[in-house]
Amino acid sequence: MKAVILDAASLGPDIDLAPIRQHLDILDVHDQSTRDQAAERLAGAEVAIVNKVVLDAQTLDALPALRLICVLATGTNNIDMAAAKRLGIAVKNVTAYGTASVAQHTLMLMLALATRLPLYQRDVAEGRWNQSPFFCLMGHTTLQLEGKRLVIVGQGELGSKVARLAQAFGMHVDFAARPGNEAHDSRPGLRDLAPEADVISLHCPLTEATRHLVDDALLASLKPDALLVNCARGGIIDEQAALEALRQGRLGGLGVDVLPEEPPRDGHPLLDALGEPLNLIVTPHNAWITPEARQRIVALTADNLRGWQAG
């Protein structure tokens, strides 16, 4: 059986592909591939292994030997699922590989924002500590997490893990109703919970119901020192509105690991604002990248291969 990995570089150079190789006769590995290169490189292969390379209907129609697509991620939006179904090509993704990694990153953002780390690091770099009349700086009011209220959108495995870590800091945790389903959900909606929230953390998919879920109206209802963290998908926050709230002192801190377009080839207002004295952190969609999480993707993909072969 022959398989081709189209974008192995997305896993990093330190990841061992042996668990996948042991289920195959031939494994061709390409670090990166374009959409146009996909058909040529997958010719004759029964299995395509792909992270973000687009496999559209035209490409799939040109691959009569292809029987399985293994996606090295949870999202399958780069695969034409209707075409795959029409052609009898199975599609297997991986889930819950980065729970510990993303939850850790979420708490890192929360803690850094609570301690006003971006602001104090800027002060130290600019020499303000050197000039202080006493031993410390305290120009930015910090937030003690113990006893504070965390509102989480998304009560899946990841949101639940973040809740447990936050509770270890003594926080009170509320889960918001699923956006768009508030009328049939026993949990309060985000708009009801927002005024009492000290921290909001997003762990939900980007859908029509969640696009700009955190908009200017919701931001206006928050406490002025509330923190907002997004390790889910860009666009769930109205980033421009959140940036203006931060600049105007209506938001205590903003930390995001995601932007609407990735990589942000044409820039983004949040990236431009990193030079301003704001309690703002932007990380490059790397909450998931611990070696353990990336190696877990390989293990789960090997499981998908084995299960498909057995079936």
Side-chain angles (χ1 to χ4, degrees), residues 75-92:
T76 57
N77 55 299
N78 56 315
I79 311 298
D80 189 321
M81 297 296 285
K85 183 177 181 180
R86 169 172 57 82
L87 295 166
I89 301 170
V91 179
K92 304 286 186 182

Side-chain angles (χ1 to χ4, degrees), residues 286-303:
N286 67 341
W288 67 282
I289 68 162
T290 60
E292 293 87 349
R294 288 181 287 121
Q295 193 63 52
R296 178 72 175 151
I297 292 173
V298 172
L300 291 171
T301 300
D303 289 345

Side-chain angles (χ1 to χ4, degrees), residues 65-177:
L66 191 64
R67 298 166 58 199
L68 172 67
I69 300 170
C70 287
V71 182
L72 300 167
T74 301
T76 57
N77 55 299
N78 56 315
I79 311 298
D80 189 321
M81 297 296 285
K85 183 177 181 180
R86 169 172 57 82
L87 295 166
I89 301 170
V91 179
K92 304 286 186 182
N93 64 341
V94 293
T95 61
Y97 56 86
T99 302
S101 182
V102 177
Q104 170 181 301
H105 195 93
T106 300
L107 264 292
M108 178 276 295
L109 292 176
M110 198 182 303
L111 289 164
L113 293 173
T115 55
R116 298 331 193 235
L117 182 62
L119 295 168
Y120 279 114
Q121 283 284 272
R122 185 184 185 96
D123 287 348
V124 170
E126 292 179 352
R128 290 193 177 91
W129 191 19
N130 310 54
Q131 301 161 8
S132 175
F134 54 103
F135 67 94
C136 70
L137 294 177
M138 58 173 70
H140 312 291
T141 302
T142 59
L143 184 73
Q144 180 173 288
L145 294 183
E146 184 173 0
K148 300 302 189 296
R149 187 164 300 280
L150 168 64
V151 173
I152 297 176
V153 182
Q155 199 172 355
E157 184 169 343
L158 180 53
S160 298
K161 177 71 170 179
V162 170
R164 291 193 295 273
L165 293 177
Q167 286 165 342
F169 282 91
M171 299 190 78
H172 304 294
V173 178
D174 290 313
F175 286 99

Side-chain angles (χ1 to χ4, degrees), residues 141-226:
T141 302
T142 59
L143 184 73
Q144 180 173 288
L145 294 183
E146 184 173 0
K148 300 302 189 296
R149 187 164 300 280
L150 168 64
V151 173
I152 297 176
V153 182
Q155 199 172 355
E157 184 169 343
L158 180 53
S160 298
K161 177 71 170 179
V162 170
R164 291 193 295 273
L165 293 177
Q167 286 165 342
F169 282 91
M171 299 190 78
H172 304 294
V173 178
D174 290 313
F175 286 99
R178 179 175 295 182
N181 191 50
E182 288 87 351
H184 306 287
D185 197 314
S186 61
R187 298 167 297 183
L190 177 60
R191 293 190 183 277
D192 296 324
L193 293 170
E196 299 303 318
D198 297 293
V199 184
I200 294 176
S201 190
L202 303 172
H203 301 284
C204 54
L206 178 63
T207 65
E208 286 308 307
T210 62
R211 187 177 301 279
H212 286 191
L213 177 67
V214 180
D215 57 10
D216 195 56
L218 189 135
L219 289 162
S221 73
L222 296 177
K223 300 175 182 179
D225 61 348

